[in-house]
């Protein structure tokens, strides 16, 4: 009886692609972006530099942490600022 499956049907231990490790700083940055947005931005910049220097994976994750952290920081400053300013001016903002 003959084997009908091709010889190279599965990944071989010798030919399997080796992925670079995921940067721990990038993972910390994305988690921190939701908990402490300013910290997420800072650690995100550090992680991007580290990822580019060491050829690890995680550049996109670090960039996402920067964007999310910056957006949440901006809204965290603008919304209370707008509410406080409306109280000083005497207008009412209805949500």
């Amino acid at each position: 009886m003959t084997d009908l499956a091709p010889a190279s049907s599965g990944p071989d231990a010798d030919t399997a692609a080796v992925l670079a490790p995921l940067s721990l700083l990038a993972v910390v940055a994305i988690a921190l972006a939701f908990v402490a947005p300013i910290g997420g931005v800072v650690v995100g910049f550090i992680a991007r530099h580290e990822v580019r220097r060491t050829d690890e994976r995680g550049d996109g994750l670090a960039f996402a942490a920067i964007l999310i952290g910056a957006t949440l920081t901006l809204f965290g400053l603008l919304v209370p600022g707008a509410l406080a300013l409306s109280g000083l001016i005497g207008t009412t903002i209805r949500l």
Side-chain angles (χ1 to χ4, degrees):
M1 189 146 102
T2 61
D3 189 16
L4 298 176
S8 62
S9 63
D12 207 17
D14 296 333
T15 61
V18 178
L19 289 176
L22 184 62
S23 171
L24 182 62
L25 274 177
V27 174
V28 170
I30 195 72
L32 201 57
F34 290 103
V35 179
I38 295 175
V41 171
V42 172
V43 176
F45 276 113
I46 295 170
R48 279 196 90 187
H49 175 72
E50 188 73 18
V51 163
R52 290 177 178 179
R53 191 175 62 81
T54 62
D55 290 331
E56 290 179 322
R57 293 182 304 139
D59 187 51
L61 201 59
F63 185 67
I66 293 168
L67 290 180
I68 292 168
T71 302
L72 291 178
T73 300
L74 187 65
F75 280 119
L77 294 174
L78 286 181
V79 171
L83 291 174
L85 187 61
S86 70
L88 290 175
I89 296 173
T91 60
T92 303
I93 297 177
R94 294 186 184 179
L95 301 176

